């Protein structure tokens, strides 16, 4: 397999074709949830797949992120985007120490190759360089997704950002100290 390359994306990179080949597919069988302060699992089957309309909404979010001082990083196999993540540019929290990581995705065919971990590490580095001391993640509740975030050092968020929580109330609010 060819080598994966990583780079920060510009507005020019974020054109309408960026996500054409991207396969956001996730089949979930079990999820984590928190009840009375305790982590619990339950069966919950669902499939997530981005259609063209969803891809365009994600692209608009990434464009807005860059326009408002945030960062988008991409992972490429040759000239094809196989993974991406972003860090928003707006600080929040009682000490303005958090930046949000709203997206981190690897195309279905390239999972299990440490691309997500590399993207996460790049986002941590870039957020720290911007002055953040914590990264905030509203994470998909699937067992596999939560396992990924635990493996990169994430823990339950000490402060909950209410507006982020309200976007996806079933997500688990995490943080990662930088």
């Amino acid at each position: 397999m060819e080598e994966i390359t990583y780079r920060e994306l510009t507005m020019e990179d974020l054109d309408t074709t960026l996500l054409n080949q991207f396969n956001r597919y996730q089949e979930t069988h079990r999820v984590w949830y928190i009840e009375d302060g305790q982590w619990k699992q339950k069966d919950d089957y669902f499939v997530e797949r981005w259609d063209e309309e969803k891809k365009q909404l994600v692209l608009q979010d990434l464009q807005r992120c860059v326009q408002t001082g945030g960062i988008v990083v991409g992972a490429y196999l040759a000239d094809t985007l196989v993974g991406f993540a972003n860090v928003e540019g707006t600080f929040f929290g009682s000490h303005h120490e958090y930046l949000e990581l709203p997206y981190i995705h690897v195309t279905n065919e390239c999972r299990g190759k440490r691309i997500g971990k590399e993207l996460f590490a790049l986002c941590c580095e870039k957020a720290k360089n911007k002055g953040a001391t914590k990264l905030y993640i509203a994470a998909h509740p699937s067992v596999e997704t939560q396992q990924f975030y635990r493996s990169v050092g994430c823990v339950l968020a000490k402060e909950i950002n209410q507006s982020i929580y309200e976007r996806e109330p079933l997500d688990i609010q995490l943080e990662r100290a930088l």
Side-chain angles (χ1 to χ4, degrees), residues 11 20 27 42 56 67 91 109 117 143 162-163:
M11 283 301 291
N20 282 359
E27 193 171 329
K42 66 179 178 181
Q56 289 309 305
Q67 290 168 341
F91 286 87
E109 298 78 13
K117 287 188 176 185
V143 168
Q162 200 60 32
S163 65

Side-chain angles (χ1 to χ4, degrees), residues 46-122:
F46 57 95
V47 172
E48 286 187 63
R49 177 182 280 128
W50 288 354
D51 60 15
E52 293 310 310
E53 183 179 338
K54 176 62 176 175
K55 288 180 181 181
Q56 289 309 305
L57 291 172
V58 170
L59 183 61
Q60 289 169 13
D61 279 347
L62 298 176
Q63 291 167 338
R64 181 203 38 76
C65 175
V66 170
Q67 290 168 341
T68 57
I71 296 160
V72 178
V73 293
Y76 285 84
L77 179 59
D79 293 330
T80 303
L81 182 78
V82 295
F84 67 92
N86 73 311
V87 176
E88 294 290 345
T90 305
F91 286 87
F92 60 91
S94 58
H95 301 290
H96 299 286
E97 70 271 37
Y98 289 97
L99 285 176
E100 182 188 9
L101 179 126
Y103 290 106
I104 181 167
H105 295 286
V106 175
T107 196
N108 190 51
E109 298 78 13
C110 290
R111 293 192 188 137
K113 299 174 181 4
R114 303 190 53 83
I115 296 169
K117 287 188 176 185
E118 184 65 29
L119 288 168
F120 190 83
L122 280 168

